[in-house]
Amino acid sequence: MTELIVALDVGSLKEAEEVLQKLKGVVSFYKVGLRLFTAEGKKAVELVQRYGGQVFLDLKFMDIPRTVVDVVMEAGKMGVYSASLYVWGGTRMLEAASLVVQRPRLWGVTVLTSLDEEDLGYFHVRDIKNLVRDLAHMGQNFLEGYVCSGQELSIFQNGFKQKPCLVVPGIRPAGFPAEDQRRVITPGEAARMGADFVVMGRPILASAEPAKIAQGVLDEIKKER
Ligand code: C5P
């Protein structure tokens, strides 16, 4: 069953709490990302947990193995459900992170969807999809899942010892504007293509009735599985 993660892309605890109040009883998973965590720190995680929500801590860790081990331990102490880290940090960093005893599920970021062939041309990379595939294979012994776009879901369909957990942002129900997202897919398409989690922010946060939009996404997902 595909789950919905609502991205709490707001700048204060007050705004985050307004969203949590409106979505209580409908949504169980929330993403605390760089903005809210930079503004409010650990209190943002505690707020979601007070509302009974599970937290995806999307801070995209990447550093030397010792430092990443320390932050993964801190994330473990906070009791978050999952945390993201860059696969680019290398196998030693990934392995060290995976060996932390009390830790969240680790979800890897391969290539940001904002990078294009021109950026990657500086490194003589011609095919982004191949790079994503190589990075995903590199992380497979150490990570529980990957954050990937709808376009990349097919990469994970074979060649992996175990199908990783797939977390897909860039989700728009039919009729919603894509905004700055370039390659959007609907919640139903994501579910059909094997997404375990869909991440959605603005269509829910900007709505006058966020619970209604979230429920619509959940209903659309349910139809697929
Ligand atoms: O508002 P929207 O639904 O576009 O938000 C999507 C969320 O997913 C944002 O928090 C964004 O940072 C995140 N994200 C993304 N594309 C990626 C990785 C993460 O949109 N490739």
Side-chain angles (χ1 to χ4, degrees):
M1 177 68 191
T2 312
E3 296 276 0
L4 167 65
I5 301 177
V6 171
L8 283 177
D9 291 332
V10 293
S12 68
L13 288 182
K14 187 171 169 283
E15 290 162 281
E17 186 155 17
E18 278 166 18
V19 177
L20 288 162
Q21 268 163 1
K22 290 180 187 154
L23 296 181
K24 200 166 186 266
V26 178
V27 175
S28 314
F29 289 88
Y30 295 88
K31 177 185 120 155
V32 173
L34 285 164
R35 180 178 178 196
L36 185 58
F37 200 80
T38 302
E40 300 283 4
K42 204 171 157 173
K43 283 192 208 139
V45 170
E46 290 165 354
L47 176 70
V48 175
Q49 290 170 337
R50 267 208 308 285
Y51 274 80
Q54 305 255 40
V55 175
F56 164 33
L57 189 64
D58 186 20
L59 303 180
K60 301 183 178 68
F61 306 142
M62 183 164 96
D63 211 310
I64 57 169
R66 181 72 245 168
T67 305
V68 171
V69 163
D70 289 340
V71 297
V72 169
M73 281 169 70
E74 296 298 339
K77 282 190 225 158
M78 282 192 266
V80 298
Y81 178 85
S82 57
S84 60
L85 77 182
Y86 267 106
V87 180
W88 292 89
T91 47
R92 278 189 298 280
M93 182 197 88
L94 298 174
E95 182 172 21
S98 75
L99 294 173
V100 171
V101 178
Q102 193 203 333
R103 65 163 176 82
R105 290 157 186 80
L106 297 176
W107 291 345
V109 176
T110 54
V111 179
L112 287 179
T113 43
S114 51
L115 294 175
D116 60 17
E117 314 258 331
E118 190 186 332
D119 292 311
L120 292 165
Y122 285 102
F123 312 107
H124 312 288
V125 171
R126 286 201 183 78
D127 186 337
I128 294 183
K129 219 164 169 178
N130 281 341
L131 177 61
V132 172
R133 186 180 289 113
D134 291 343
L135 284 162
H137 279 127
M138 182 173 127
Q140 71 174 326
N141 291 328
F142 314 114
L143 301 171
E144 278 77 37
Y146 291 93
V147 182
C148 65
S149 76
Q151 263 67 30
E152 292 154 11
L153 278 168
S154 61
I155 289 175
F156 299 92
Q157 262 150 23
N158 40 50
F160 287 80
K161 285 179 205 149
Q162 226 185 336
K163 180 190 161 277
C165 175
L166 300 174
V167 184
V168 183
I171 300 291
R172 292 291 181 270
F176 278 78
E179 287 145 308
D180 58 348
Q181 296 283 11
R182 287 285 161 269
R183 295 182 296 265
V184 299
I185 58 171
T186 66
E189 282 166 342
R192 216 173 309 137
M193 289 164 72
D196 297 283
F197 289 91
V198 292
V199 183
M200 209 165 94
R202 286 164 293 178
I204 293 175
L205 301 185
S207 164
E209 293 175 294
K212 196 170 145 201
I213 307 293
Q215 191 57 57
V217 170
L218 293 168
D219 293 343
E220 188 177 328
I221 284 168
K222 217 185 275 168
K223 273 193 231 141
E224 296 299 329
R225 287 246 164 141

